[in-house]
Amino acid sequence: MDATQLLELFKSIVATVQNEPTVDSWNELRVFAEEDLRPNSEFHPPANLVSSVLNLLINKAGKKDGKIKWKMSDESIIALECLYHLLIKVDEFQDAIEAVTTTQLTKLRLGFVILEGDKDSKMVAMQLILFLQENILKFKDLSLYVHKSAKVQKYIDEHRHEANVPEMPRLSSIDRLSVQAEYYDIDVKVVVRGFQSDMKKGLTSTEVANRTAIYGLNVLPQPEPRRWWSMLFEQVKDFMMIILFLAAVASYAIGDPKAGSTLLFVILINVIIGFVQEYKAEKAINALMSMDVQKAKVIRDGNQVAVEASSLVPGDIVVLDEGDQIPADLRLFEVSNLKVIEAVLTGESEPIEKTTKPIRSKNPPVGDRKNMAMMTTTVVGGRGKGIVSTIGVRTEAGKIAESLVKSTQPPTPLQKRLDFLGKVLVVIALALVMMIVGIGFIRDEEVVDLVKLSVSLGVSAIPEGLVAVTTVVMAIGVQRMAKKNGIIRKLSAVETLGSVSVICSDKTGTLTEGKMKATQLWTGNNLFSFEGHPVEGQGLSRVSLNDETVALPDPRLFHLERSLQICALCNNSSYTKDVDKVSYVGDPTEVACMIGAMTGGIVKSKLADDGGDWTFVLEHAFDSTRKRMSVVYEYSEDTNLSVAPSKEKGKAKKGKEKGKEKDDEGTKERKTYVLAKGGCESILSICKHQNLKEKKPLTDKYKAKIEKKAAELAENGLRVLALAYKAVPNKKGGKKLSKKVAEKDLTFIGLIGIIDPERKEVKGAIARCHQAGITVCMITGDHQSTAKAIAIKLNIADKSSKPLRGTDIDVLFNTGTLNSLDPWPTVFARVSPENKLQLVQALQSRGSVVAMTGDGVNDAPAIKSADCGVAMGISGTDITKQVASVVLRDDNFETIANAVEEGRVIYDNIQKFIIYILACNSAEVFSVLGAIAIFGSPIPFTVMQVLWANIVCDIPTAMALGVDPAEKDVMTRPPRDPKESILNLGVGILLLCQSLIMSILCVASLRMGLTLTDIFQDPDTGAPYTTVHAQTLCFVVLCTCQLFHGMNCRSLKLSLIQINPISNLWMVAAIFGSFGLVVGSLYVPGVNTFLQLTPLIGVDWAVIGISLVIFTVLVEIMKAIYRLVSGKDPVYTHYEPEVAEELVSPTPRS
C-alpha cells in the first residue's frame, strides 16, 4: 500500500477503536502497527491525529483488568504493543512522545506491569522503557515515571538481552533535539543534553543559524496588522454609505450625472475623514509600542554576548542579572539569590525566589514552577543562568497572546445605536419612497420624475453628514486625550468611556506611585517619619520626630542611626543617576529601605563601597522559609557610630594585636557585626535582647509591645520589616559564621514601615468619579490589610468595608452568586488575572459598563472582555496594549477620570448634532411630502439643492456643536444606561415639533413663491418668475432656519438668551460662513446654474426674515413646554478640583 492508502486505513481503524473498543478492533490496530506499517515508510499522519491516538494508547495501556490485581487486560497489552511499534516506525509519534511529560507517562504504570504482569506484558513494557531510555534523554531517569524504579531497573538489566530495541531512526543531529516544552519535572542536565547544548560554552553560531531555520524567531504572536486597505474598507462598508452609493447609481441611471457625482463626492469626503483619523490613531499606538529592541545576554561560542531577544533559539544559554526582562521561557540551572517578579503572568506582586531543583508535582501552576523563568517577567534580585526551553508562541506568554489575537472586539454602545438609527432611517426612507411612487403612479407621473423624486426623498432622509461629523468629533476627542496622556486606539472608545459605570483599577502604579517607600521607623519609644526623596530631589529630604527634623550623627539617636545602617548595608539594591533620570535595580522593598536610609544621610556607597570603614564579609540571603536576610560586616571603631553598640570593649594587647590594624593616623580597632532584616515574627524569633538606652533582655512584655506596634503599622497599609543586629567577637571570625550561628541571640533595634504611597492627584479624581455616579473598585494582588488601608485613604472604601479575596471570587463565581453581591465590594485583594476576568463578566451581567485596567500578559483576557480595556503605557506589556481600547502614557488613574469626562462631553455633543441633523433632514422630508402629497406643488428641492444644504449648512454647524464646551453638570450626573437610546421619547417629540415647524415654513414660502411668480417679473428680461424662483426661496428659508437652529441645539432646555454665543466661536463662524456660501450660491454665475438657483429680490428676503422670527419664537415655546414637562430649569453645580477633599463619598450616587 502507498502512503495515502496507509493513512486512510489508519484513520478507519482508529475510528473503529474509538467507537467500538473491542478486542477485535484493538487487534486490527496492532496488526496495522506491527505488520502493515514498515520502518522508514512515507507514512506521515497529521499532528492532530497523532496526538489523539497517543492519548488514546496511553490511557488504555494504563488500565488493568478489574478482576485480578495488576493484571493487564488484553486490550491494554495490545495498546502497549501498538504504542511501541508506532514509536519505532513513525517520526511524528516520536516527536509527540517527547512533548509528553513524565507525569503523563506514569499513566502507563510500566513499573507495575514489569513487576506484576505476565511474561508477554513484561516484555512489551521492557522494550518500551529501553526505547525511551536510550533514545529520549528526558526519559532516561526511570524514577520520574516508573513506580519502584530501582527494582524495575534491576529487572531490565537482568533481561536486557531478551529485548531487541532499535534506536530512534533520525537523519541528523538537529532532528534529535528535544521538542520545546517546560522541563520543570526533570533534571536540568538532561534538558541540556536533550538540546545538545553546553552550560559553559552554549551553542555555536552555526547551530543557532540551523535552529533559527527550524524553530523560527522568538517573538510573541501579534494581532494581524491593520492594513490601510482594511481601514479604508471599514469606512466604505458603512450602511449609510452603501445607501448613498445606491442613490448615486440611480441618479446616473436616469441621466442626472450632476447629482450622482455630487453623491459620490459626499461619500468620498466621509470615507477620507474616517480613514485618516483611524489611521492616525493606529499610528499613535504603534509609536507607543515601538520601544527599544529587547536585548538578551547569552553564551555563544564560549563567550558572553548581547543579542536581540528575537534571535534566541531552544538550547541557548541565557545569563540573568538584576533588572533584566526574561527573554524566553528558561529552565534554570544556576541561581544565586535569584528573585523574579511574575506579576505579568500570575498577578502576584511579591518576588518569587528561584531554584534549580526538579518539581515533581503534577501540572503545577505557573507561579509554582520555581525552576523556570518565564518570558516577559523581570529579575529584581540576584543572578542566574538558564537554558531556553521554549520560545515565541510556545512560551506561557505566547499561549495567552495566541488566544487573544484571534478574538474580535465587540461594538460599542454608540456604534450599536448609530447602526440601529441608520437602519431605521433607511427603512423610513424606503417607506416614503414607496408611498410617493404609489401616489405618482396614481397621478400618471413620468417614471424619470418619480425616480428623481425618490432619490431626493432618500437623500433628504439619510443624514450623510452624520458619519463624517461623528468621526471628526471623536477624532478631536482623541487628540485632546492624547494631550492628557491617554492614547485612544479606536475612535469609538471615546464614547464607551463616557458611558462607563464601573472602573476596576489596579492599585500598584495606577492608584499608587508604583514605588515602594519607607514612611515610618519605630525604635521602641520614638516614631520617625521619612519625607522627600534624596536621589531625585523631590521635595525636602529629611527624617522627622514629632514634626521636627532630626539630623545625624547625634549620640541621642543611636537607634535611628543603627536602624538606617541596617537598611543600607543589609541590602542588595542599587541605583544609577543620569542627568535627568534615576534608575533603581533590585527588590522594591530593598530599594525602599535604601532610599529611607539615604533620606537620613546613610549611604551604602560611602559606608562600604568607596573605601568606607565597613567591609562586607558574607551574606545569608533571604528565603521564603526563614523570611529574613542577614549580612556580616567588619567595621572600624571610628566609624559613624555615635554610640558604641556594646559596652564590652575587651582588653587591648600591645603591639600587633588581633583585631587591630595600622593606618596613617594610628590604630583602628575592628569589630564584626551581624545585621539582619525580615518579617517581624521571623526576626523576633532570633532576638534575645532589646536595645533602648542600653542592651537588655528581650522580655515577653516588650515582645508583645513590638508585635502590637507591627500590627498597628500593618493596619495602616504598611509592609513591616523588623531590624536587628549583634556584635560578634573577632576571635570567631566573620567568614566562619554559619547561618545558624549568625542568626542567633540578636538585639532588636526597630521596625520600618514601607508602603507604595497613593498618588496625590488620585483622591480628587476618585471624588470626581463618585460625583459622576461611577463605582471605583481597587484590584490588587497585595494582602487584604494593605489593600484596605490604601482604599480608605483614597475613599474607595470605608473602615467597615471588607475586601474580597481572590479565593472568595473563585467560589462565588463557580456557584453563580458573584453577580448578585449586594452591596458590590469595592476592594479586591490577592486577586489573580483569572479573577479579573470573572469580575468583568459578573459586572457586565449586572448591566454595568466596565472599564478594566491591567499591565500584565495575563490581564489581557479581562481587558479584552471589558467594555473599555485600559492598558498601562509604561509598565504594560505589548499584548495588553494591543487588545486595549485606551493606553495610558502615565499609568495614572486621573487620566482615566479625564478620559471618562471627555467621553461624556463627546457623547453630549454627538447627541446635540444628531438631534440637529435629524431635525434638519426631517424638515427636508416633511417639506417634500407636504408640498407634493398635500398641496400638489412641484418638488421644493432638487437632489443637488438637498446635498448642498446638507454639506454647506448641516456639516459645519454640526461640527461646531461637536466642539461645544462641556456643560457644567457633565461630571455630576449618573452614567447613562447603555441600553438608553440616543433619542428618548421627550427628545424625539421635541425634535419632531422643531422639524415640523421648519417644514411648514418651507412649504409656506414655496406656496408664496409660486404666488409671486404671477406678480413679479425679472428686472433684466421682464419675463415672469419661474418655479425655480419659488424653489430658491424655499431653499433659502430652509438653510437660514437650519443655521440658526444650530444655536438652539446647544442646549435642549436653556433658552436662547441664556446661552452665551461667544462661548463657542466655532458656532458663530459656522453660521456666518455657511450663510455667506448660501448667498453666494444664489448670485455667483455658474454656481447658481449648477444648483438650479436664482437671485432673490427684496420681498423674498422679507419673507425669509419673517420665517426666521416665527421659527425662533415657536422653538422657544417648545423649549419652555419641554422644561415644564421634564422638570424645573436646569441648575448646574460646577465642579472645582480644589474642593475634592470635601467630595469624599465611597458610595457613588444611585
Side-chain angles (χ1 to χ4, degrees):
M1 287 188 287
D2 59 22
T4 304
Q5 292 172 326
L6 278 174
L7 181 58
E8 292 302 320
L9 177 60
F10 183 58
K11 289 180 178 179
S12 174
I13 294 172
V14 170
T16 303
V17 170
Q18 290 174 331
N19 296 326
E20 300 177 13
T22 63
V23 175
D24 290 339
S25 61
W26 277 104
N27 263 321
E28 192 176 354
L29 182 60
R30 181 190 59 77
V31 171
F32 174 87
E34 187 175 350
E35 299 178 9
D36 295 339
L37 202 57
R38 301 295 180 187
N40 301 321
S41 67
E42 294 300 320
F43 177 67
H44 298 292
N48 59 341
L49 179 60
V50 170
S51 177
S52 175
V53 173
L54 188 61
N55 289 329
L56 175 68
L57 295 175
I58 290 175
N59 291 329
K60 188 62 180 179
K63 290 188 176 181
K64 63 179 179 64
D65 193 321
K67 300 177 182 178
I68 305 175
K69 188 177 182 181
W70 305 129
K71 180 182 179 182
M72 297 180 70
S73 65
D74 293 338
E75 294 94 330
S76 296
I77 296 175
I78 296 172
L80 209 57
E81 290 177 343
C82 291
L83 178 60
Y84 171 68
H85 286 288
L86 288 170
L87 283 174
I88 65 175
K89 295 177 181 180
V90 184
D91 288 350
E92 284 75 11
F93 276 93
Q94 296 163 9
D95 292 335
I97 197 67
E98 286 192 88
V100 174
T101 65
T102 53
T103 302
Q104 289 174 294
L105 213 59
T106 57
K107 293 181 180 180
L108 291 175
R109 311 172 77 91
L110 295 172
F112 296 115
V113 174
I114 286 182
L115 297 178
E116 306 289 344
D118 56 30
K119 184 178 180 180
D120 292 338
S121 59
K122 284 183 178 183
M123 179 57 66
V124 176
M126 183 171 64
Q127 288 177 318
L128 184 57
I129 289 175
L130 286 171
F131 172 81
L132 294 173
Q133 281 187 310
E134 294 173 6
N135 294 285
I136 305 177
L137 288 172
K138 66 182 279 189
F139 296 135
K140 194 167 187 66
D141 186 354
L142 207 60
S143 64
L144 297 178
Y145 58 95
V146 172
H147 181 64
K148 296 183 179 180
S149 57
K151 291 184 179 181
V152 173
Q153 189 64 59
K154 182 179 178 181
Y155 178 88
I156 291 176
D157 292 341
E158 293 174 353
H159 298 83
R160 180 186 295 269
H161 62 281
E162 301 176 16
N164 180 23
V165 181
E167 288 191 6
M168 186 179 293
R170 296 289 195 185
L171 298 178
S172 66
S173 60
I174 283 289
D175 289 331
R176 293 181 65 86
L177 291 174
S178 294
V179 297
Q180 295 188 69
E182 292 182 8
Y183 297 106
Y184 54 80
D185 56 345
I186 61 177
D187 189 273
V188 71
K189 293 180 181 179
V190 177
V191 180
V192 175
R193 288 199 301 271
F195 283 113
Q196 299 177 21
S197 189
D198 187 291
M199 292 183 182
K200 295 182 179 180
K201 297 181 180 180
L203 300 175
T204 66
S205 299
T206 303
E207 288 172 329
V208 171
N210 291 336
R211 297 185 189 201
T212 301
I214 294 173
Y215 295 112
L217 294 176
N218 175 38
V219 292
L220 293 176
Q222 300 291 328
E224 189 70 25
R226 298 184 67 204
R227 307 295 182 185
W228 66 267
W229 57 82
S230 174
M231 287 186 260
L232 191 62
F233 180 69
E234 285 185 16
Q235 306 300 324
V236 173
K237 71 178 184 179
D238 181 81
F239 191 64
M240 283 188 281
M241 293 299 100
I242 294 174
I243 297 301
L244 288 177
F245 178 77
L246 294 177
V249 172
S251 297
Y252 278 112
I254 62 173
D256 191 357
K258 290 193 297 184
S261 300
T262 307
L263 282 168
L264 291 179
F265 177 75
V266 170
I267 295 171
L268 181 64
I269 293 298
N270 277 280
V271 169
I272 289 175
I273 292 174
F275 168 75
V276 168
Q277 296 302 332
E278 199 82 12
Y279 185 76
K280 283 183 178 179
E282 192 70 15
K283 293 285 284 185
I285 190 64
N286 289 339
L288 184 69
M289 295 179 62
S290 59
M291 301 178 179
D292 295 336
V293 177
Q294 185 187 352
K295 298 287 186 179
K297 297 187 290 289
V298 299
I299 297 176
R300 288 180 179 172
D301 297 311
N303 300 313
Q304 180 175 317
V305 294
V307 300
E308 291 187 10
S310 60
S311 69
L312 293 182
V313 295
D316 258 324
I317 303 300
V318 177
V319 180
L320 300 175
D321 291 307
E322 288 186 13
D324 289 348
Q325 186 179 59
I326 296 171
D329 282 3
L330 312 178
R331 174 63 165 89
L332 299 170
F333 62 80
E334 181 182 309
V335 296
S336 177
N337 305 324
L338 183 65
K339 297 178 183 177
V340 178
I341 286 184
E342 298 179 338
V344 294
L345 286 177
T346 65
E348 178 57 55
S349 60
E350 290 296 318
I352 305 298
E353 188 172 2
K354 294 298 182 177
T355 182
T356 60
K357 298 177 182 179
I359 298 171
R360 306 300 189 195
S361 57
K362 184 178 180 180
N363 296 327
V366 172
D368 292 341
R369 299 173 192 174
K370 296 186 178 181
N371 57 8
M372 298 290 299
M374 303 299 184
M375 187 178 189
T376 71
T377 61
T378 305
V379 178
V380 294
R383 57 184 177 79
K385 292 180 181 178
I387 182 170
V388 176
S389 61
T390 57
I391 63 172
V393 71
R394 295 292 190 92
T395 63
E396 286 298 318
K399 294 173 185 175
I400 299 170
E402 187 178 34
S403 65
L404 292 170
V405 297
K406 299 175 181 177
S407 56
T408 57
Q409 190 76 9
T412 68
L414 182 60
Q415 286 175 316
K416 295 175 183 176
R417 295 189 190 105
L418 288 180
D419 181 64
F420 177 75
L421 179 62
K423 291 176 180 176
V424 169
L425 292 174
V426 169
V427 170
I428 292 174
L430 291 175
L432 293 175
V433 167
M434 292 176 64
M435 182 177 69
I436 295 299
V437 169
I439 296 173
F441 275 119
I442 294 174
R443 295 181 176 182
D444 293 327
E445 300 281 353
E446 293 291 334
V447 174
V448 173
D449 294 335
L450 288 177
V451 173
K452 286 183 178 181
L453 180 59
S454 300
V455 172
S456 179
L457 266 177
V459 172
S460 299
I462 298 174
E464 57 276 349
L466 181 62
V467 178
V469 176
T470 303
T471 303
V472 169
V473 171
M474 285 190 169
I476 293 170
V478 168
Q479 293 168 1
R480 283 202 295 252
M481 279 307 306
K483 295 177 182 177
K484 298 177 182 179
N485 294 317
I487 298 294
I488 308 298
R489 294 208 64 232
K490 293 203 74 174
L491 298 180
S492 53
V494 179
E495 181 273 334
T496 308
L497 277 167
S499 60
V500 163
S501 57
V502 178
I503 300 175
C504 296
S505 174
D506 280 336
K507 176 183 77 69
T508 305
T510 306
L511 298 174
T512 63
E513 293 180 2
K515 300 175 182 178
M516 298 297 286
K517 179 181 179 182
T519 57
Q520 293 184 323
L521 175 65
W522 182 77
T523 59
N525 292 329
N526 295 322
L527 183 63
F528 299 92
S529 300
F530 298 91
E531 299 180 22
H533 204 295
V535 179
E536 295 180 350
Q538 297 174 353
L540 178 64
S541 300
R542 67 190 183 104
V543 180
S544 61
L545 175 64
N546 299 325
D547 295 327
E548 294 185 7
T549 303
V550 297
L552 298 176
D554 187 333
R556 298 168 300 174
L557 300 174
F558 164 71
H559 307 88
L560 171 63
E561 187 169 4
R562 174 48 56 85
S563 297
L564 295 183
Q565 286 174 339
I566 295 172
C567 288
L569 296 173
C570 189
N571 196 316
N572 288 320
S573 64
S574 62
Y575 75 92
T576 57
K577 185 178 180 181
D578 296 329
V579 177
D580 57 350
K581 183 180 180 182
V582 178
S583 300
Y584 300 98
V585 178
D587 183 280
T589 301
E590 293 205 322
V591 170
C593 289
M594 174 187 68
I595 295 175
M598 295 172 69
T599 305
I602 304 296
V603 183
K604 182 178 180 180
S605 60
K606 295 181 179 179
L607 293 179
D609 297 342
D610 298 334
D613 293 318
W614 292 80
T615 303
F616 174 79
V617 179
L618 60 86
E619 173 186 336
H620 299 297
F622 176 91
D623 64 58
S624 55
T625 303
R626 290 162 43 247
K627 291 183 171 57
R628 60 179 174 266
M629 168 190 180
S630 63
V631 292
V632 179
Y633 274 85
E634 289 183 354
Y635 75 100
S636 299
E637 186 177 7
D638 61 348
T639 59
N640 289 334
L641 284 177
S642 307
V643 179
S646 174
K647 292 185 177 181
E648 298 178 6
K649 297 284 185 180
K651 294 183 178 180
K653 295 182 180 181
K654 294 181 180 180
K656 287 186 177 181
E657 301 177 16
K658 187 177 181 180
K660 296 187 178 181
E661 62 181 22
K662 291 264 185 163
D663 65 4
D664 294 338
E665 299 180 4
T667 302
K668 288 186 177 181
E669 183 178 359
R670 299 193 65 80
K671 293 186 178 181
T672 303
Y673 262 70
V674 176
L675 311 176
K677 76 173 188 297
C680 184
E681 184 179 348
S682 173
I683 292 296
L684 287 179
S685 69
I686 60 174
C687 285
K688 188 177 181 179
H689 304 96
Q690 57 179 321
N691 199 331
L692 298 174
K693 293 183 178 180
E694 59 183 22
K695 187 168 70 174
K696 293 182 179 180
L698 181 62
T699 63
D700 291 340
K701 182 178 180 180
Y702 192 72
K703 185 182 289 188
K705 180 180 179 181
I706 295 171
E707 292 171 342
K708 181 179 179 181
K709 189 63 182 180
E712 180 183 321
L713 294 174
E715 286 178 359
N716 291 325
L718 299 177
R719 183 181 181 188
V720 182
L721 296 180
L723 309 171
Y725 72 99
K726 78 171 179 178
V728 180
N730 271 355
K731 63 182 180 180
K732 291 187 177 181
K735 293 183 180 180
K736 298 180 181 179
L737 284 178
S738 66
K739 188 184 299 182
K740 184 176 181 181
V741 175
E743 296 180 351
K744 182 180 179 182
D745 298 340
L746 274 70
T747 300
F748 172 83
I749 189 69
L751 299 172
I752 186 167
I754 299 169
I755 196 170
D756 181 7
E758 66 275 10
R759 289 178 181 263
K760 294 180 181 179
E761 67 277 7
V762 165
K763 194 171 185 179
I766 291 173
R768 290 168 58 202
C769 290
H770 287 160
Q771 264 202 322
I774 299 171
T775 301
V776 179
C777 298
M778 185 178 79
I779 299 177
T780 178
D782 288 342
H783 193 272
Q784 288 171 279
S785 59
T786 303
K788 184 176 180 180
I790 293 293
I792 290 174
K793 288 182 179 180
L794 295 175
N795 297 304
I796 293 175
D798 53 31
K799 292 183 179 180
S800 62
S801 301
K802 184 178 179 181
L804 198 65
R805 297 172 301 175
T807 51
D808 300 328
I809 296 173
D810 286 328
V811 173
L812 293 170
F813 184 81
N814 292 332
T815 56
T817 56
L818 180 61
N819 60 355
S820 60
L821 288 178
D822 188 22
W824 180 260
T826 54
V827 183
F828 301 89
R830 293 296 189 195
V831 170
S832 69
E834 291 76 14
N835 294 145
K836 282 190 171 184
L837 180 58
Q838 293 167 347
L839 290 173
V840 169
Q841 294 171 347
L843 284 166
Q844 287 175 334
S845 68
R846 293 163 64 98
S848 300
V849 178
V850 185
M852 172 64 75
T853 72
D855 53 10
V857 174
N858 256 13
D859 291 334
I863 289 177
K864 187 77 173 180
S865 298
D867 298 283
C868 184
V870 182
M872 304 296 110
I874 299 174
S875 61
T877 59
D878 284 355
I879 292 300
T880 54
K881 294 173 190 173
Q882 285 282 6
V883 302
S885 302
V886 182
V887 180
L888 307 183
R889 277 202 184 110
D890 56 357
D891 291 10
N892 195 336
F893 181 86
E894 186 180 37
T895 305
I896 303 176
N898 291 338
V900 169
E901 181 174 2
E902 187 65 42
R904 290 191 174 194
V905 172
I906 293 298
Y907 187 86
D908 284 352
N909 291 345
I910 288 175
Q911 187 179 46
K912 290 176 185 178
F913 72 65
I914 285 177
I915 292 172
Y916 169 75
I917 287 178
L918 291 184
C920 294
N921 284 45
S922 298
E924 294 167 4
V925 172
F926 293 149
S927 297
V928 173
L929 287 176
I932 297 175
I934 298 176
F935 296 101
S937 302
I939 299 176
F941 323 111
T942 66
V943 174
M944 294 299 302
Q945 291 168 359
V946 170
L947 289 174
W948 182 248
N950 290 351
I951 294 172
V952 173
C953 299
D954 292 0
I955 292 180
T957 312
M959 285 186 175
L961 284 171
V963 295
D964 207 38
E967 296 186 40
K968 293 181 180 180
D969 69 335
V970 68
M971 287 296 279
T972 59
R973 57 180 185 242
R976 298 184 314 276
D977 184 347
K979 297 179 182 179
E980 179 184 302
S981 173
I982 297 176
L983 305 175
N984 57 41
L985 181 60
V987 173
I989 294 174
L990 184 64
L991 182 156
L992 180 63
C993 292
Q994 292 173 349
S995 60
L996 283 173
I997 293 170
M998 210 181 306
S999 62
I1000 290 171
L1001 291 172
C1002 288
V1003 173
S1005 62
L1006 177 67
R1007 297 295 300 171
M1008 186 172 293
L1010 292 172
T1011 303
L1012 293 175
T1013 57
D1014 299 330
I1015 302 174
F1016 295 98
Q1017 294 180 339
D1018 189 304
D1020 296 328
T1021 64
Y1025 280 116
T1026 62
T1027 304
V1028 174
H1029 172 84
Q1031 290 175 325
T1032 302
L1033 177 60
C1034 180
F1035 170 76
V1036 177
V1037 169
L1038 172 72
C1039 291
T1040 306
C1041 291
Q1042 286 183 350
L1043 288 173
F1044 204 74
H1045 190 49
M1047 191 66 74
N1048 289 325
C1049 285
R1050 290 188 59 194
S1051 175
L1052 297 179
K1053 291 185 177 181
L1054 290 178
S1055 172
L1056 193 61
I1057 59 175
Q1058 294 177 285
I1059 301 174
N1060 182 6
I1062 63 173
S1063 63
N1064 187 349
L1065 293 177
W1066 289 106
M1067 177 62 71
V1068 177
I1071 291 174
F1072 283 99
S1074 296
F1075 186 74
L1077 290 174
V1078 170
V1079 174
S1081 66
L1082 304 182
Y1083 296 100
V1084 175
V1087 176
N1088 53 14
T1089 305
F1090 181 80
L1091 294 175
Q1092 298 178 6
L1093 297 173
T1094 187
L1096 298 178
I1097 59 176
V1099 68
D1100 297 325
W1101 291 108
V1103 172
I1104 293 168
I1106 294 170
S1107 299
L1108 183 59
V1109 171
I1110 295 173
F1111 176 71
T1112 302
V1113 171
L1114 292 178
V1115 168
E1116 285 294 302
I1117 294 172
M1118 291 295 103
K1119 279 189 176 184
I1121 295 172
Y1122 182 71
R1123 287 196 298 269
L1124 183 65
V1125 173
S1126 60
K1128 61 181 181 179
D1129 289 347
V1131 178
Y1132 298 127
T1133 304
H1134 185 62
Y1135 171 74
E1136 298 291 347
E1138 56 267 22
V1139 302
E1141 298 292 333
E1142 302 175 7
L1143 299 177
V1144 292
S1145 174
T1147 305
R1149 299 190 319 168
S1150 60

